[in-house]
Amino acid sequence: MIELRPFAGLGAANHGWLDAHHHFSFANYHDPARTNWGRLRVWNDDTIAPQTGFPPHPHRDMEIVTYVRKGAITHQDNMGNAGRTVAGDVQVMSAGTGIQHAEYNLEAEETQIFQIWILPDSRGGAPDWGTRPFPKDDRAGRFVALASGQDGDGNALPIRADARVLGATVPEGETAHYEAAPGRHLYLVSTRGRIRVADGASGGEAVEAEARDGVAITGLSSLAVTALEDAEIVLVDAA
């Protein structure tokens, strides 16, 4: 099954400093049909005004991956971690037994992020945070693991969940392929560029998605993503 979730139909909340769009139920937005996709619990598309951000607040028992689409996000937490993550890169926070953190846009322009929350395999554990730059050429035309809890993804930032967050840049007219194990829940969004998502085995079932649309996939082991325009894609593969 391949299901298109148009950006225009997402939950939304504009707080002035924050323009948020929710792929799944979050805060005051609740849709009983969209509470999660497997272990993927939250996918928020956030635009943060310059010199603003999320003040200190707590989390626990959640794997939180931030993919920066534009600008940069600056992290601070009560464990003494601090860092700046720029467009195209990711940061990962394993909330574990509890962590207090803040995320600020200290730039002179808007910052745009995907905020992706994944349910951990088990509760507890010491909280942790990390960020890493990923050379953009490494993901040209193919999916590269950016954060992962699976064996074999040693270059990815670790998460404590049976899931992977992957990125790909696909030039117009080219196709990136992804093979998934049976029973997985796949969810992808193009940060820029229109795409066509199809069953990579049969080529039959397919949808076309605009930038920032969500595409939910299950029951397929092979995926073919064709760029109808130059595209940058984020994909979650979760149990």
Side-chain angles (χ1 to χ4, degrees):
M1 182 197 76
I2 305 176
E3 176 191 349
L4 178 65
R5 298 183 173 182
F7 178 77
L10 302 181
N14 193 327
H15 304 281
W17 66 273
L18 171 67
D19 185 10
H21 294 263
H22 311 306
H23 287 255
F24 301 95
S25 296
F26 187 85
N28 293 327
Y29 166 64
H30 181 69
D31 181 344
R34 294 187 180 182
T35 57
N36 65 293
W37 189 244
R39 300 196 72 83
L40 175 59
R41 174 60 189 85
V42 169
W43 190 310
N44 288 347
D45 184 328
D46 292 341
T47 298
I48 307 167
Q51 304 301 313
T52 67
F54 299 92
H57 60 282
H59 289 284
R60 64 178 300 147
D61 294 319
M62 191 66 69
E63 302 299 298
I64 299 176
V65 180
T66 303
Y67 184 94
V68 183
R69 299 178 52 236
K70 175 186 175 183
I73 200 77
T74 297
H75 170 94
Q76 301 170 8
D77 65 43
N78 62 345
M79 298 176 62
N81 296 311
R84 179 174 175 269
T85 304
V86 303
D89 293 338
V90 299
Q91 66 173 18
V92 168
M93 188 174 71
S94 295
T97 54
I99 190 170
Q100 185 106 352
H101 77 120
E103 306 292 336
Y104 295 116
N105 173 16
L106 302 180
E107 313 304 311
E109 62 173 350
E110 287 183 340
T111 286
Q112 296 176 339
I113 63 172
F114 288 151
Q115 196 182 155
I116 298 166
W117 296 16
I118 300 170
L119 296 167
D121 291 340
S122 59
R123 299 171 67 88
D128 197 14
W129 173 84
T131 185
R132 183 175 298 169
F134 289 89
K136 307 306 180 284
D137 290 346
D138 286 0
R139 64 182 95 154
R142 66 189 186 99
F143 286 100
V144 173
L146 307 176
S148 176
Q150 297 187 352
D151 294 338
D153 289 334
N155 291 328
L157 286 165
I159 58 175
R160 302 167 188 173
D162 182 6
R164 312 169 80 199
V165 179
L166 306 105
T169 55
V170 187
E172 181 179 353
E174 295 189 13
T175 301
H177 296 272
Y178 184 73
E179 305 298 320
R184 305 294 290 183
H185 292 79
L186 308 181
Y187 199 89
L188 68 84
V189 181
S190 174
T191 74
R192 59 178 174 85
R194 191 162 50 94
I195 58 174
R196 182 178 184 270
V197 182
D199 183 339
S202 69
E205 186 177 7
V207 302
E208 289 190 7
E210 301 290 336
R212 301 168 78 184
D213 288 348
V215 183
I217 305 116
T218 189
L220 302 182
S221 59
S222 181
L223 203 62
V225 184
T226 301
L228 305 178
E229 303 167 343
D230 288 349
E232 179 181 341
I233 301 158
V234 180
L235 166 67
V236 171
D237 174 344

